[in-house]
Amino acid sequence: MKNNKVLPLLLSLAMTITLSACGNGANTANNQPAEPVKTEEAASTEDAVKTEEVATTEQATGTEEVADSNETAGPVTLEYWSSYNEVEPQAQVLQEAAKAYEEQNPNVKVNFTFNGRDNSKLLPVALQSGQNISMYDANAYNIIKKFGESNEDLTAYFDESYPTTDGVAYKEYTLPAMLTLAESLGEGNYYYVPMNPQAFVYFYNADIFEKAGITESPKTWEEFLEVCQKIKDAGFTPITTDPNYSTGILGYYLSRLKGEEWVEELVNDPTFEKWNDPAVLEAAKELEKMAQAGYFAENVATVQFPQAQQEFVVNENIGMYLNGTWFPGEVQDSVKPEFKWGQFAFPEVSGGVDDRSVTAYSSYGIGVNKNASQEEKDAAFDFAVFVNTEFDQKMVDEANAMPVDPNSSFPENLSDMKEIFDNTKDKYVSQTAIATNKDNAEIIRSALLKLLAGDSTAEDFINEVKGN
């Protein structure tokens, strides 16, 4: 909603003519959508709300009952529940953004409740009980899956431009991959404002790539295996993993080969008959060959999280690690400043249905409570846009996050992610669908680690998963 102010010149003009005095529009937050919203006083008397264009051209529309031209919008308090802990850098940036926003919008106050990761449990209960909550942040999947009954449909807001969106609609401004995710999760509508993207990709030590004579990241599975061999020939360990991320390589391979929906059916098949599909054996055979070739770390069967992460950045003798974009932030206290990070998308597989434009990724998001007042909804979305435009680079710099604003720069240790996101056209769930069924995720993980360690065959792996 745009700010509408009646100039003294307009007031003088209104006093010289025989019409009734004209009511001024609501004074709202700087970044609101263009559609005007009545103040409480105007709504009760059915006063007309003037647009900014009327004010700037000194044209007034009179009504029989008018509002005082000195009236402004009433105070709006936003109760914001966050999934960050108060000491986290993301929370610090949010509070800085709120302070700046309040200075620009004196009628708006933002109060934070930092619940940390317990927010996904606490917030649904609080919303259902009718507690006063205006807005909230969480992982995008949690917003849709866990808070769905309380989410305001924000689609109309995305169609509007804001002072910080370079004159274009917000949906045309922010990172396209994040809109793809939000629209997909919302089944065509938008229920949250994307922030702090995350992705599941291959990280690599750029110094090791250089020493091994690798000049570009692999794009196909065949090229990936060639890279593994070059790294080994140069005297380094090609790949490490740990129980937290070990199933990712299988999940990605099968998703590339058959598609995510097929993988979801695989892990949710109560009969385990789908595990007899030749695609599973193909993927398992490829991993068996990698194990036999010595491409995985020697301790892959026993290493625990976060030991593998520390070994990757401290020992500097491991080439690649399939992990999340939160990885550099988790090892920031132990990694050397000169460590050269690189990332690449999981490679394509021969005969597969998906290419490298499909990425396992997610984001955080800011949702708005549908039971909030209209003034709170407007201000909440406005503040969310403000955070993810004016303070987006601050979030990148302070929290090692990835940007959603096209004018922001990616952090140096995640610089390759810009190209990955620019090429992303579709999404897999974070860490792929192979880990989505909690009832058998541990069975798959345990059997797979044996396969990666060279302690079992592809057939052994399948039989163990099936319980044979």
Side-chain angles (χ1 to χ4, degrees):
M1 192 183 336
K2 298 178 180 177
N3 284 329
N4 303 316
K5 297 181 179 179
V6 180
L7 300 174
L9 179 60
L10 176 62
L11 186 56
S12 298
L13 178 62
M15 293 176 64
T16 63
I17 59 179
T18 58
L19 296 175
S20 300
C22 297
N24 66 317
N27 180 19
T28 58
N30 290 334
N31 287 311
Q32 293 289 16
E35 181 183 355
V37 178
K38 296 179 182 179
T39 64
E40 197 170 66
E41 293 81 7
S44 64
T45 60
E46 299 186 356
D47 285 347
V49 178
K50 273 195 315 202
T51 64
E52 188 177 58
E53 289 74 17
V54 171
T56 57
T57 58
E58 298 187 1
Q59 294 175 342
T61 301
T63 58
E64 291 186 4
E65 296 185 27
V66 298
D68 189 321
S69 62
N70 292 321
E71 289 179 353
T72 60
V76 176
T77 299
L78 298 177
E79 296 294 340
Y80 185 139
W81 280 36
S82 177
S83 295
Y84 293 111
N85 293 301
E86 190 168 5
V87 297
E88 289 185 284
Q90 294 91 337
Q92 300 299 312
V93 174
L94 284 172
Q95 291 177 91
E96 289 183 44
K99 182 178 179 180
Y101 185 81
E102 290 168 352
E103 291 175 354
Q104 295 184 23
N105 302 274
N107 64 310
V108 179
K109 172 68 176 174
V110 184
N111 294 328
F112 287 99
T113 299
F114 292 104
N115 291 317
R117 305 310 179 263
D118 287 338
N119 204 43
S120 62
K121 299 177 182 178
L122 299 174
L123 183 62
V125 177
L127 289 169
Q128 292 171 10
S129 67
Q131 191 162 340
N132 181 22
I133 300 171
S134 312
M135 58 195 302
Y136 35 82
D137 66 52
N139 180 281
Y141 285 87
N142 283 342
I143 290 178
I144 298 300
K145 305 299 183 183
K146 295 186 177 182
F147 314 153
E149 294 182 358
S150 301
N151 294 330
E152 173 74 4
D153 185 346
L154 303 174
T155 306
Y157 290 100
F158 276 78
D159 292 331
E160 300 293 339
S161 64
Y162 300 82
T164 54
T165 61
D166 295 344
V168 300
Y170 189 64
K171 70 179 181 181
E172 298 172 6
Y173 181 82
T174 196
L175 190 66
M178 296 303 107
L179 286 176
T180 297
L181 175 66
E183 186 175 16
S184 174
L185 292 177
E187 298 181 349
N189 294 329
Y190 301 114
Y191 290 96
Y192 64 88
V193 178
M195 66 183 293
N196 297 349
Q198 303 166 337
F200 194 52
V201 296
Y202 261 111
F203 283 79
Y204 68 91
N205 183 321
D207 278 337
I208 290 179
F209 267 43
E210 183 177 348
K211 292 174 182 178
I214 303 165
T215 57
E216 60 180 4
S217 58
K219 296 177 175 59
T220 67
W221 184 257
E222 290 73 22
E223 292 175 354
F224 178 67
L225 296 180
E226 291 173 4
V227 165
C228 289
Q229 188 60 50
K230 287 182 178 180
I231 293 173
K232 184 182 179 185
D233 291 343
F236 300 100
T237 298
I239 301 173
T240 191
T241 189
D242 61 65
N244 283 22
Y245 306 119
S246 58
T247 58
I249 189 170
L250 175 65
Y252 248 129
Y253 191 101
L254 288 173
S255 296
R256 289 280 192 260
L257 185 62
K258 301 288 285 186
E260 181 175 64
E261 184 177 348
W262 188 91
V263 179
E264 289 177 346
E265 293 173 355
L266 174 73
V267 299
N268 288 291
D269 177 12
T271 68
F272 288 91
E273 286 299 316
K274 207 170 186 67
W275 287 85
N276 294 322
D277 191 288
V280 179
L281 183 60
E282 175 187 329
K285 283 287 188 182
E286 289 297 319
L287 299 181
E288 181 183 356
K289 287 192 298 184
M290 291 179 66
Q292 291 174 345
Y295 292 161
F296 295 105
E298 292 182 355
N299 64 351
V300 69
T302 58
V303 68
Q304 297 296 313
F305 178 85
Q307 180 184 344
Q309 292 190 162
Q310 295 299 319
E311 291 174 349
F312 184 84
V313 298
V314 174
N315 299 343
E316 296 190 54
N317 63 353
I318 300 170
M320 298 176 288
Y321 190 175
L322 185 57
N323 205 313
T325 49
W326 50 85
F327 179 20
E330 291 183 341
V331 295
Q332 61 184 345
D333 292 334
S334 52
V335 66
K336 297 177 182 178
E338 62 271 21
F339 188 92
K340 294 182 180 179
W341 296 90
Q343 301 88 39
F344 62 86
F346 194 91
E348 300 172 11
V349 301
S350 179
V353 299
D354 287 339
D355 59 21
R356 293 185 306 119
S357 69
V358 189
T359 305
Y361 73 98
S362 182
S363 77
Y364 261 58
I366 298 176
V368 177
N369 186 359
K370 69 179 183 181
N371 293 320
S373 70
Q374 187 60 53
E375 290 81 7
E376 290 172 345
K377 293 175 184 177
D378 293 343
F381 191 89
D382 194 59
F383 177 57
V385 171
F386 185 78
V387 168
N388 289 291
T389 52
E390 288 293 286
F391 275 76
D392 189 60
Q393 188 64 57
K394 184 80 169 179
M395 189 71 78
V396 171
D397 296 339
E398 298 296 326
N400 201 60
M402 290 188 294
V404 292
D405 188 304
N407 295 316
S408 298
S409 300
F410 277 69
E412 185 177 356
N413 53 20
L414 292 170
S415 59
D416 291 338
M417 288 305 306
K418 184 180 188 310
E419 180 180 355
I420 293 174
F421 273 135
D422 285 346
N423 294 331
T424 294
K425 307 301 180 186
D426 204 350
K427 56 89 181 174
Y428 298 142
V429 296
S430 181
Q431 300 186 45
T432 78
I434 198 72
T436 54
N437 187 342
K438 294 181 180 180
D439 292 337
N440 59 28
E442 183 54 41
I443 297 172
I444 297 171
R445 181 181 298 113
S446 176
L448 184 62
L449 285 171
K450 296 175 185 176
L451 179 63
L452 302 185
D455 295 333
S456 68
T457 66
E459 291 82 4
D460 292 336
F461 163 73
I462 295 172
N463 286 332
E464 183 172 347
V465 171
K466 291 169 58 180
N468 296 335

